Amino acid sequence: MQIKPIQIYHLVKSEDLNHHGTLYAGRTAEWFVETGFVAAAQMVAPEHIVCLKIHGMEFLHPVRGGEIAFFEGKVVYTGRSSMIAFVSMCVQDRDIVSGYITFINVDQEGHPLPHSLVMEPVTDEDKALYDKAKVLAHQSRV
């Protein structure tokens, strides 16, 4: 299966700001996971997806109220029941945060459920993301 990116935009409003007047990290994490979830939901039924782990979410720049946050997410690696999404966020031309999220495909009782998906990276960028995600999968044993 080819890697298909999804895009989500969020207007940063006053209720999204912390006491410093910049985008609250918790709100960013919420939108970050949401983006990865939507990417995974393109591949399996959303009711079967649970988030296992966020890998290395590092902020490079603050975001102010009124700015528009652009998120892009794509599943770049799949295991037996796992899916690892790469998510990035930028505002205008500034990279703000990027990282990986591991999701698990589960049955109604919450047990891992094989999904039979195999990712096929085509571009050099997607191959690099796939290789990094594969390392993360082996570190997490998923």
Side-chain angles (χ1 to χ4, degrees):
M1 175 173 267
Q2 275 194 307
I3 295 172
K4 299 178 206 164
I6 62 101
Q7 300 173 344
I8 296 176
Y9 293 85
H10 287 281
L11 171 63
V12 179
K13 302 181 295 269
S14 59
E15 60 262 27
D16 303 321
L17 304 179
N18 61 24
H19 59 287
H20 297 288
T22 59
L23 181 60
Y24 173 58
R27 179 73 72 202
T28 306
E30 176 186 344
W31 293 343
F32 190 82
V33 172
E34 174 188 61
T35 302
F37 182 90
V38 172
Q42 292 185 109
M43 308 175 107
V44 299
E47 61 269 16
H48 293 287
I49 302 170
V50 295
C51 180
L52 175 69
K53 185 175 186 177
I54 298 173
H55 310 265
M57 192 175 141
E58 181 180 349
F59 292 85
L60 302 176
H61 303 283
V63 177
R64 308 264 177 230
E67 293 187 302
I68 297 174
F70 167 71
F71 288 82
E72 183 171 270
K74 52 189 172 183
V75 173
V76 295
Y77 178 85
T78 54
R80 190 176 73 77
S81 62
S82 64
M83 296 168 281
I84 299 180
F86 175 76
V87 177
S88 61
M89 173 195 171
C90 65
V91 172
Q92 296 174 343
D93 293 339
R94 296 179 326 221
D95 292 332
I96 303 298
V97 65
S98 63
Y100 295 83
I101 308 168
T102 298
F103 296 96
I104 305 295
N105 187 51
V106 297
D107 62 18
Q108 298 294 50
E109 286 78 43
H111 301 107
L113 179 68
H115 50 52
S116 305
L117 299 170
V118 178
M119 299 311 297
E120 298 172 7
V122 175
T123 68
D124 289 342
E125 177 187 352
D126 285 344
K127 288 176 186 173
L129 294 173
Y130 174 92
D131 290 343
K132 173 67 176 170
K134 186 175 182 180
V135 169
L136 294 172
H138 290 294
Q139 289 173 348
S140 298
R141 293 183 174 83
V142 295

